[in-house]
Amino acid sequence: MKVSRQHEIQTFGDGEIVFREGEDTRDMYVVHEGQVEILKHAGGHDVQLAILERGSFFGEMSLLEGLPRSATARSVGTTKLLVLRPGSLLMSIRRDPTFAFEMLQQMSGRIRELNDKLVYKVAIAEFGNRLARSAIITSAIAEYKPARNVAEPKLP
């Protein structure tokens, strides 16, 4: 995205919070310089979802949906961010239509990456379930001792 005089640029020091999960803010950001780490709080821990670099955007979900922040954004090193306020996104797209296409490409890539992670997690869980079932069956077979006077069935 081309930076014009109308765009605001904010500078963040290393480790500064851009916004927190649950906040009710609506600005969207484009990384102009530096990096931003996206974190999600889950199970009592912060889970890193992504590290975003120059040209990447974030905060679009709250801007587009009007919902609270779904994750925390924190700067990595000194970082400069282009700020897009709710009213300026449409104007930015009108001035630079390629920005909308770049957004769609990034969003599509994120969905593809999430799909890959989901399929991987499901495969690991299914493999774990099979291992657990196998261990239970093996354990049950090892513990089973037929009565001494009972003949075991003969297999064909």
Side-chain angles (χ1 to χ4, degrees):
M1 172 176 208
K2 300 169 194 162
V3 179
S4 71
R5 283 179 274 129
Q6 289 103 1
H7 291 121
E8 175 187 351
I9 298 214
Q10 291 181 356
T11 302
F12 294 84
D14 185 35
E16 276 191 71
I17 301 296
V18 179
F19 55 75
R20 290 189 188 283
E21 184 174 347
E23 280 184 1
D24 200 24
T25 57
R26 300 287 179 259
D27 297 340
M28 179 178 149
Y29 300 86
V30 179
V31 180
H32 189 60
E33 291 178 20
Q35 296 179 322
V36 173
E37 179 180 36
I38 305 299
L39 305 163
K40 178 82 175 160
H41 196 73
H45 299 89
D46 284 336
V47 177
Q48 184 186 77
L49 299 179
I51 292 278
L52 304 177
E53 309 218 352
R54 181 179 168 84
S56 296
F57 63 87
F58 62 98
E60 78 285 353
M61 291 167 56
S62 287
L63 183 132
L64 295 171
E65 298 175 308
L67 297 173
R69 300 292 184 183
S70 65
T72 296
R74 179 172 62 198
S75 63
V76 178
T78 301
T79 303
K80 292 185 179 183
L81 303 175
L82 178 74
V83 182
L84 293 171
R85 308 255 181 244
S88 67
L89 177 63
L90 190 55
M91 286 179 23
S92 295
I93 290 171
R94 284 182 180 153
R95 272 191 227 115
D96 183 9
T98 59
F99 178 64
F101 185 70
E102 290 169 5
M103 278 184 63
L104 290 170
Q105 282 183 312
Q106 280 190 42
M107 291 170 90
S108 178
R110 290 175 186 175
I111 292 169
R112 182 179 307 279
E113 185 179 328
L114 286 171
N115 284 343
D116 290 346
K117 286 179 181 178
L118 177 62
V119 167
Y120 175 76
K121 293 287 186 186
V122 167
I124 292 297
E126 179 59 29
F127 179 71
N129 286 342
R130 276 189 264 139
L131 282 177
R133 279 194 303 265
S134 177
I136 289 168
I137 290 169
T138 302
S139 175
I141 289 171
E143 289 179 23
Y144 172 73
K145 295 178 184 165
R148 292 180 188 230
N149 297 334
V150 177
E152 289 187 38
K154 295 183 182 181
L155 297 175

